Amino acid sequence: MEFAEFAEHAAAVEATSADTEIRDAVVDLFEESGEQLPVVVRFLLGRVFPAHDSTKLDVGPRLCYEAIARAAGQNVTADDVEDRLAEYGDVGNVAASYDLGGQRGLAAFGAGGRDGLTVAEVADRLTELARASGDGSQDTKLDVLFDLFNRADPPEARYLARLVLSEMRIGVGEGTVRDAIAEAFDVPVGSVERALQVSNDYGLVAETAREDGVAGLDGMALEVGRPVQAMLAQAGTVTGALEDWGEAAVEIKYDGARVQAHYDGETARLYSRNMENVTDPLPEIASGVAASLSVPAILDGEVVAIDEDGQPRPFQAVLRRFRRKHDVAKAREAVEIRFHAFDCLHADGTDLLDDPLVARHDRLASILDPAANVERSELWTADDPEEIADIEARAIDSGHEGIMLKNPESPYTPGKRGQNWRKRKPDVETLDCVVTGAEWGEGRRANLLGTFELSVRGPDGYETIGKVATGITDEQLEALTDLLDPYVRAEDGTDVDIEPAVVFEVGYEEIQESPTYSSGYALRFPRFLDVREDKDPDDADSLSRVERLVEE
Ligand code: AMP
């Protein structure tokens, strides 16, 4: 296909605004693309390479302006090109505003009077440009671009410039391309969508749909070495997760950087969340993954920076490892890291995307033997909010960010920010409550106060609003028992009546109306945060503040 023809179609799409007409125009283009279909599909999305391929053109606007200026003639400078941006709106329109090719002799024209640039040739030359590296690479890139612009007529120059700077601006997004593939080759959108998830290559999916139809699409599978988009999380609450799923899979939320590890049986390659190959900056993780796995696999996880005691450090530290492309050894010395694998997308030739989370995690456990710098993240299933609160308290206590709640039955959906993974929302508000009662613990904790009754100030005295038993370590329980002991007024079995004296700061997810407590409200998912030593019971929160919070 001639690049001029591609440009003509792109212009037709750009001139259209209704979604269905845009899709029809894209379908037309797909039907006429012939052998070049995969390239055309990528070009439409402003890409030269598939999404899983992190090869970059690495062409900045300035280099593009220079190439256009050179092709526009001796009197034009890169500054002139840049100056036209304000008037013409974007680099494509600026490129199209010049009579490019003044530098070529008449002999350069083919028989038809035009120097036919093909789609394939543009793709090949841009691949060559992307490969240029090291000293002199900018000159090579400039030469390639100049040559391409020099042979382009105005519509070609418009889309060439935009392609080079990865901004096609013709109103075609990934959704349009997905729908157009389905329509052009008469295959179900669902099959196209799934094939895109596993391959991350719009060009390959279009070609497969055309050549092998729905069977071809459904047969597409993950490939070790071809990264897929990460499954993402939404914010959510423990109470919401338990209501929706009955029980939740709970994991530590690590404060680091997402990494997908691909092990082919010999070596491991690592990819960042935006699918850049980050194997080189993280060599000890790559070798650790290879050492820990017994079969080829694709793992999902988080790389965390750790201090000399193995405690997690804030995620800014890990970023220093990612940024460092050259002096890796030095960066490695400064920032020690660890990979927490929390999911398994593929193991030993089998894709696991459609398996339930708990089954994928079991598979992970069966193939991963922890090695240096590599650990398997633990997954707990729980239906009791208190148990979840305990896991969260332990996670935070050991320096992690918090917890993730996952639907135990859910598949792995690449690129989706759905409801199946939820990061527990941090508490927006906390309440300062007076401790008015407690219960003695059981078993090992029989000598310690365990559950604490919480109250707020009402017009006629303290009114109960909940009980807190979680978020408290054994050490803290001992300190709290000592602190409350002087205020014990009466005991009845394990129940203890306590004189209002001590104020707890508590976190919660929600306040609900409830007949259980005398305030008429109950805290959902209450957690102990701290003792407010600076506060007397008179300074604790009031029932009217609770009422205001409920109304908000
Ligand atoms: P956020 O970046 O705040 O939207 O939270 C989602 C991110 O948390 C994910 O993209 C992961 O990089 C990270 N994360 C940390 N621990 C986990 C975990 N156990 N499961 C899934 N994602 C996690």
Side-chain angles (χ1 to χ4, degrees):
M1 179 181 238
E2 300 267 324
F3 191 66
E5 215 182 319
F6 170 79
E8 208 177 293
H9 279 278
V13 173
E14 190 174 351
T16 310
S17 56
D19 286 351
T20 51
E21 287 172 31
I22 292 180
R23 197 192 54 222
D24 291 347
V26 173
V27 168
D28 272 353
L29 172 57
F30 286 178
E31 285 170 351
E32 286 173 32
S33 301
E35 242 180 78
Q36 293 306 314
L37 178 65
V39 179
V40 165
V41 172
R42 288 176 202 133
F43 278 10
L44 261 188
L45 289 167
R47 290 187 192 136
V48 178
F49 306 102
H52 62 74
D53 183 339
S54 59
T55 309
K56 294 223 166 33
L57 295 180
D58 217 4
V59 170
R62 192 68 199 174
L63 195 70
C64 187
Y65 304 155
E66 264 177 50
I68 294 169
R70 253 221 248 169
Q74 279 170 349
N75 304 329
V76 183
T77 65
D79 285 340
D80 298 334
V81 174
E82 192 166 2
D83 287 346
R84 285 197 182 189
L85 273 177
E87 188 183 341
Y88 289 88
D90 91 295
V91 66
N93 294 346
V94 172
S97 72
Y98 286 106
D99 178 17
L100 303 178
Q103 302 299 299
R104 70 192 155 190
L106 270 182
F109 287 91
R114 287 198 51 244
D115 187 8
L117 204 52
T118 63
V119 165
E121 203 177 345
V122 172
D124 286 348
R125 300 295 321 266
L126 292 178
T127 306
E128 177 193 332
L129 174 152
R131 292 221 178 96
S133 65
D135 284 351
S137 63
Q138 292 299 302
D139 290 341
T140 312
K141 287 176 197 267
L142 184 59
D143 287 347
V144 172
L145 286 181
F146 161 69
D147 187 45
L148 288 172
F149 279 119
N150 204 37
R151 294 168 56 192
D153 64 16
E156 289 174 291
R158 169 177 290 117
Y159 298 106
L160 181 62
R162 292 183 183 170
L163 178 62
V164 163
L165 294 181
S166 320
E167 37 170 283
M168 285 308 267
R169 298 171 150 226
I170 54 174
V172 174
E174 296 183 346
T176 312
V177 170
R178 180 197 59 207
D179 294 350
I181 293 174
E183 186 162 318
F185 309 117
D186 200 19
V187 287
V189 175
S191 294
V192 177
E193 171 106 39
R194 193 203 142 272
L196 289 171
Q197 287 188 355
V198 297
S199 70
N200 232 327
D201 184 344
Y202 281 79
L204 178 66
V205 169
E207 194 175 39
T208 307
R210 185 181 65 188
E211 301 303 317
D212 303 312
V214 62
L217 291 180
D218 293 351
M220 284 176 81
L222 295 175
E223 245 175 50
V224 174
R226 189 173 66 190
V228 297
Q229 291 188 41
M231 178 163 175
L232 301 170
Q234 282 188 359
T237 61
V238 171
T239 34
L242 291 179
E243 267 162 27
D244 291 350
W245 312 323
E247 64 173 9
V250 186
E251 254 177 12
I252 290 177
K253 183 173 192 294
Y254 304 98
D255 191 13
R258 190 76 172 265
V259 163
Q260 206 173 91
H262 289 239
Y263 174 62
D264 63 10
E266 281 180 22
T267 53
R269 269 167 288 178
L270 309 173
Y271 299 93
S272 69
R273 179 160 156 177
N274 45 18
M275 287 172 289
E276 289 219 29
N277 188 328
V278 291
T279 318
D280 287 345
L282 311 174
E284 71 272 47
I285 304 297
S287 57
V289 166
S292 68
L293 286 173
S294 48
V295 293
I298 302 175
L299 308 183
D300 191 5
E302 189 95 348
V303 167
V304 178
I306 49 175
D307 63 21
E308 57 270 27
D309 302 324
Q311 295 293 311
R313 296 172 60 187
F315 88 104
Q316 286 83 352
V318 85
L319 291 187
R320 282 168 50 201
R321 288 294 301 269
F322 279 80
R323 283 199 211 105
R324 207 52 89 83
K325 289 241 163 71
H326 306 297
D327 212 345
V328 174
K330 211 159 152 199
R332 185 172 170 175
E333 222 166 82
V335 184
E336 200 181 329
I337 49 179
R338 182 162 59 211
F339 180 57
H340 295 271
F342 54 67
D343 215 315
C344 181
L345 282 52
H346 173 100
D348 202 12
T350 307
D351 286 355
L352 305 172
L353 296 179
D354 295 329
D355 288 11
L357 168 71
V358 282
R360 297 198 307 275
H361 206 269
D362 285 348
R363 191 74 182 105
L364 178 64
S366 74
I367 60 167
L368 186 137
D369 205 5
N373 305 91
V374 176
E375 276 180 19
R376 178 172 51 84
S377 172
E378 200 151 347
L379 187 75
W380 296 272
T381 36
D383 58 6
D384 174 6
E386 292 201 354
E387 198 183 330
I388 299 178
D390 275 344
I391 298 170
E392 181 175 52
R394 285 204 305 273
I396 291 174
D397 216 39
S398 36
H400 297 291
E401 203 183 342
I403 52 169
M404 298 285 294
L405 304 160
K406 298 182 178 178
N407 179 348
E409 294 303 318
S410 60
Y412 190 99
T413 43
K416 286 267 147 56
R417 192 181 285 288
Q419 285 289 341
N420 282 328
W421 285 14
R422 303 182 191 178
K423 48 186 174 185
R424 202 188 80 74
K425 270 189 204 152
D427 300 315
V428 192
E429 296 276 358
T430 60
L431 270 187
D432 294 333
C433 300
V434 184
V435 180
T436 49
E439 287 166 30
W440 290 109
E442 289 170 4
R444 185 166 63 81
R445 290 179 164 185
N447 292 329
L448 298 175
L449 291 174
T451 304
F452 302 91
E453 182 187 70
L454 305 169
S455 295
V456 290
R457 287 182 296 114
D460 307 316
Y462 295 104
E463 306 290 355
T464 57
I465 190 162
K467 287 181 181 171
V468 66
T470 47
I472 317 178
T473 62
D474 278 3
E475 233 169 68
Q476 283 174 321
L477 278 184
E478 272 174 38
L480 292 176
T481 304
D482 288 347
L483 181 67
L484 289 163
D485 190 52
Y487 306 106
V488 171
R489 282 200 290 223
E491 293 189 37
D492 178 8
T494 53
D495 284 345
V496 183
D497 182 22
I498 292 183
E499 184 186 326
V502 174
V503 178
F504 280 6
E505 181 182 14
V506 285
Y508 61 92
E509 284 186 342
E510 244 176 28
I511 305 177
Q512 270 191 333
E513 287 192 27
S514 160
T516 312
Y517 298 106
S518 67
S519 64
Y521 296 99
L523 299 181
R524 298 198 80 186
F525 202 57
R527 269 140 313 119
F528 170 82
L529 297 177
D530 216 343
V531 175
R532 289 297 305 253
E533 284 173 15
D534 56 327
K535 283 198 168 181
D536 289 329
D538 285 350
D539 308 318
D541 277 315
S542 61
L543 186 55
S544 49
R545 169 146 194 263
V546 171
E547 282 161 351
R548 277 199 307 277
L549 287 169
V550 171
E551 275 163 26
E552 268 172 14

